[in-house]
Each structure stands twice: as structure tokens, then as C-alpha cells.
Amino acid sequence: MAAAALREQLNALLASMFASGLVDEQFQQLQMLQDDGSTPGFVAEVVTLFCDDADRIISELAALLEQPVVDFDKVDAYVHQLKGSSASIGAQKVKFTCMQFRQLCQDKNRDGCIMALAVVRNEFYDLRNKFQTMLQLEQQIQAQQ
Amino acid sequence: MAVGGGVEVEEGVTRVLLVDDSPVDRRVAQLLLSSASCAGSFHVIAVDSAKKAMEFLGLKDGKEQAIDMVLTDYCMPEMTGYDLLKAVKALNPLKPIPVIVMSSEDEPQRISRCLSAGAEDFIVKPLQSKDVQRLRNCSTGRPNKGSPPCECDAAAKRKPLVLPPSAADASPSGRRANFAGVAMVLHSSRVELSQYFPLLLKLVVLVYAVLCVGELLHRWSSRGGCSLALWCA
């Protein structure tokens, strides 16, 4: 049955996301809460919120790092925000990169920060793609039922 | 953020004012509190700044508080969660609203600062469903008598250890003050700290007391106290 095949695909995707360290137990917890039944669409909602938030922060960071004189306090504040929200939904890889990024901010290392931003951006895009696939699969499974 | 006036809820529902500048964290907290494990127990009002929280609480000035508990993030622009904590406690000193502080940083100094300012608990983010039980235990809506010991221990473990007063005093009256302090420490250690600390503390204090007594006896005897000299002989 199509739904079963879709479910298998979804489970495989989630398993690979965990195995590669893209997401951690926090994400698993949020999924379990959704599966409890009282708050359907929980994960889709927070994932969407996170992606919008992260997109906004990354744009702000890019603008700040392009300035002739970089305001490292502002950069640090944004990275702190991104670290916080990625921790809250369990986006482990992004969170760890943010931790390193913060250290570079504190060292006032401009080139280091620019490189860290590139890494965060790539990791975030990768995560966002996987989240989008995950949400599409969930929607298709819902449609079958 | 829509902020209503009086919040009418059923008996046994805890009204939580959630304060966090991060939209993701706010949503996660809201959803955790409304999940199946605590269905119907919490009514959450979310605001994105401490200023808005104060405005909301200020509306109820003089009247019965519409909020059973404040759950606030520590790091926020303009007004921090710590400032909000102090302001909330100052609102009604006779019956202060419970405040729980959340932070992504697990910093002992920050934690003890908040607890000293009167916070009921300090939760390290990210917020998880197991933290929800701690919220339930801290609200005014529920009596604290039945609260599980692990929750109190969690808060107590983060309190700074009460150390015995230093032995800097030379005078006998100073020593007596130290003994009183030591007795207070013993009492407080029994009440506040977890199982292991009082034992260790009592041991340290006993040794210290023995040393003090020994020194006192030595001084009294060296001053030529007649009856005591027989004891030391």
C-alpha cells in the first residue's frame, strides 16, 4: 500500500537525520509529543517557525559581516538567538556550528566569522531540505488516510 | 501579542505568563505545556518582551492577580528575565507570583543569582516535557505539600553551599558567635540540602568544633584557670 511505502520512506529519512547528527533527542521528543495525539501538526509548525527565524537571522548576519567595521556584539547576539532556537527544536549540527561561531565573535575574528556563517548557511539549507521532504511525506501519508 | 484583561479559567488550571523573545522557543514552550501529558492543566499567555509582561501584570495592580506563574527567558534585549523577576516579586511582596527562569546557559552564578532574587526554579533550555512537572509544583494554583522531593532537590542543589563562619575571631565571644552560626548551619543543612551534603558538612563542622573547643581549653588553662588546669594535666 502506498501509505506503508511512504511511511517507510519517512522513517528512513528520520533515521538518517539522527544518524548523521543533523538532529538530536530534542527533536525526537517533539516528535513523540506529536505522536501522543493531542497536538497534531506540532512538528510542522515549529519546524516552519525555525526555518523562517533562521533565514532571517542568517540574512542579518550576512549584512552585519559585510560592514567595513563589524559590530561583533550584534553578530554575537544573533548567533546566540540562532543557537537557542536550534537547540529548542533539536537541530544539533546547526547548534554546534553556532557555538563555534560565538567563539569566533568573542575573538573578534572577522574572517573566521565569515567562514562560520558560510558553514551555518550550508548546514541550515541541508536541514531545511530534509525538513521539507519530511513534511511533504507526512502530508502525503495524511492524505492517504 | 493579544493580551486580554481578566483571564477566566476553570478550577485547577494554572495560568502561565510566558515571556521569551524567541518565537521558536515561545512556540515550543506553549506546545509542551498544552501537550497530552498535561492536557488542560495550563493556560498559557505568551508575550515577547519583559516590558509587555510588566504591562500585562500591571493591569491587575491592586486586584487579584490573573496569573499563577511567570515563566521567563533570562537573556532578552532591553529588560532581562532577571530584571523581570525582581519586578514581579516587588509587585506584591506579601503574596509574590512564582517566577521560573529559563536559560540556554547552565551558569552556576546566574542560577544562584536568580534563586537569591526569589526565583522558584531555574530551568536550563531547551525546555523538555520533564521540566513541565517542575512548573506544576511551583505554581500558586497548587499546594506545594505534595511536591516530589526530586524537584526540591534540583532547586536546592543549585543553591550555593552554606559554609561555616571563618575562624578569624580571637575573642571568646567571637567563638560563641561561631558556635551559634555552626548550629544554624547544621539546622539549615538538615532542611535545605540533599542527603549527602549535610553528612559531609556535619563532619567538617564537628572537626572544626572540636578544634575550637580544644583551643579554648588551651587558652583558659594557659591563663591559669585553676579547676580547668586539672583537666588538662
Side-chain angles (χ1 to χ4, degrees):
Chain A
M1 293 184 63
L6 286 168
R7 189 112 285 275
E8 234 182 80
Q9 244 186 305
L10 179 60
N11 288 341
L13 174 64
L14 290 170
S16 81
M17 284 166 78
F18 280 112
S20 61
L22 209 54
V23 293
D24 60 20
E25 304 85 40
Q26 178 72 5
F27 185 70
Q28 208 169 25
Q29 276 215 14
L30 299 181
Q31 284 230 294
M32 274 169 25
L33 278 169
Q34 175 172 273
D35 294 342
D36 272 348
S38 70
T39 44
F42 183 120
V43 174
E45 201 186 329
V46 288
V47 156
T48 310
L49 257 175
F50 168 72
C51 289
D52 292 342
D53 198 41
D55 227 350
R56 174 189 62 91
I57 292 175
I58 288 173
S59 306
E60 300 275 5
L61 284 170
L64 283 170
L65 288 170
E66 271 169 18
Q67 301 297 317
V69 181
V70 175
D71 185 345
F72 285 103
D73 290 336
K74 272 196 183 152
V75 173
D76 186 58
Y78 276 119
V79 178
H80 175 77
Q81 269 187 45
L82 183 57
K83 188 194 116 192
S85 34
S86 55
S88 291
I89 69 147
Q92 188 176 248
K93 241 186 196 169
V94 172
K95 179 184 80 173
F96 284 149
T97 307
C98 287
M99 284 161 70
Q100 292 165 354
F101 198 157
R102 286 198 79 192
Q103 189 54 53
L104 292 161
C105 288
Q106 275 149 30
D107 297 340
K108 302 213 189 306
N109 181 343
R110 190 209 179 121
D111 290 336
C113 285
I114 292 173
M115 283 203 307
L117 178 60
V119 173
V120 159
R121 189 189 268 119
N122 284 341
E123 284 176 356
F124 166 63
Y125 287 164
D126 181 33
L127 180 63
R128 188 169 59 179
N129 285 341
K130 302 247 163 50
F131 276 152
Q132 281 168 349
T133 310
M134 179 189 85
L135 294 177
Q136 274 168 14
L137 284 170
E138 277 181 357
Q139 278 174 357
Q140 287 172 330
I141 292 170
Q142 286 289 325
Q144 295 278 346
Q145 287 165 353
Chain B
M1 294 284 143
V3 166
V7 179
E8 293 303 318
V9 291
E10 313 157 6
E11 270 295 318
V13 176
T14 306
R15 294 160 299 190
V16 180
L17 180 62
L18 171 66
V19 190
D20 200 321
D21 60 325
S22 159
V24 174
D25 290 358
R26 255 194 330 270
R27 203 71 190 103
V28 169
Q30 263 182 313
L31 289 168
L32 275 173
L33 291 172
S34 61
S35 67
S37 56
C38 32
S41 315
F42 294 101
H43 176 91
V44 180
I45 298 148
V47 295
D48 62 7
S49 71
K51 236 173 112 184
K52 288 200 181 135
M54 286 309 297
E55 283 167 14
F56 183 80
L57 292 168
L59 286 171
K60 300 296 150 196
D61 211 38
K63 305 180 191 175
E64 191 194 316
Q65 300 291 349
I67 293 296
D68 298 317
M69 184 169 67
V70 174
L71 177 61
T72 178
D73 186 22
Y74 186 95
C75 278
M76 291 187 291
E78 290 176 10
M79 188 179 176
T80 66
Y82 178 69
D83 296 327
L84 177 62
L85 160 66
K86 289 193 290 187
V88 168
K89 293 297 178 183
L91 257 180
N92 188 349
L94 297 171
K95 202 184 159 199
I97 305 172
V99 178
I100 296 181
V101 181
M102 304 182 281
S103 176
S104 49
E105 318 287 331
D106 190 2
E107 243 181 74
Q109 269 192 344
R110 179 178 291 188
I111 296 171
S112 64
R113 225 176 138 214
C114 290
L115 293 175
S116 307
E120 268 62 23
D121 205 347
F122 188 103
I123 298 177
V124 177
K125 281 179 166 183
L127 200 67
Q128 298 178 325
S129 36
K130 63 177 163 74
D131 297 320
V132 175
Q133 181 59 36
R134 290 158 75 175
L135 266 69
R136 215 180 259 130
N137 293 337
C138 288
S139 72
T140 51
R142 286 158 202 283
N144 264 328
K145 286 177 193 166
S147 64
C150 58
E151 190 270 324
C152 298
D153 277 324
K157 269 178 192 145
R158 289 187 175 124
K159 285 190 179 133
L161 268 180
V162 180
L163 297 170
S166 71
D169 296 6
S171 63
S173 57
R175 296 282 186 208
R176 262 179 252 130
N178 280 345
F179 282 135
V182 154
M184 268 171 21
V185 165
L186 276 172
H187 277 294
S188 66
S189 73
R190 238 176 264 138
V191 169
E192 283 182 314
L193 304 178
S194 69
Q195 300 185 8
Y196 306 102
F197 289 143
L199 281 170
L200 205 62
L201 204 58
K202 281 173 196 170
L203 208 66
V204 168
V205 155
L206 259 170
V207 168
Y208 171 75
V210 162
L211 287 171
C212 286
V213 168
E215 237 218 281
L216 268 170
L217 283 172
H218 177 76
R219 280 171 191 239
W220 286 339
S221 69
S222 67
R223 273 195 223 140
C226 29
S227 54
L228 283 169
L230 287 170
W231 288 43
C232 292

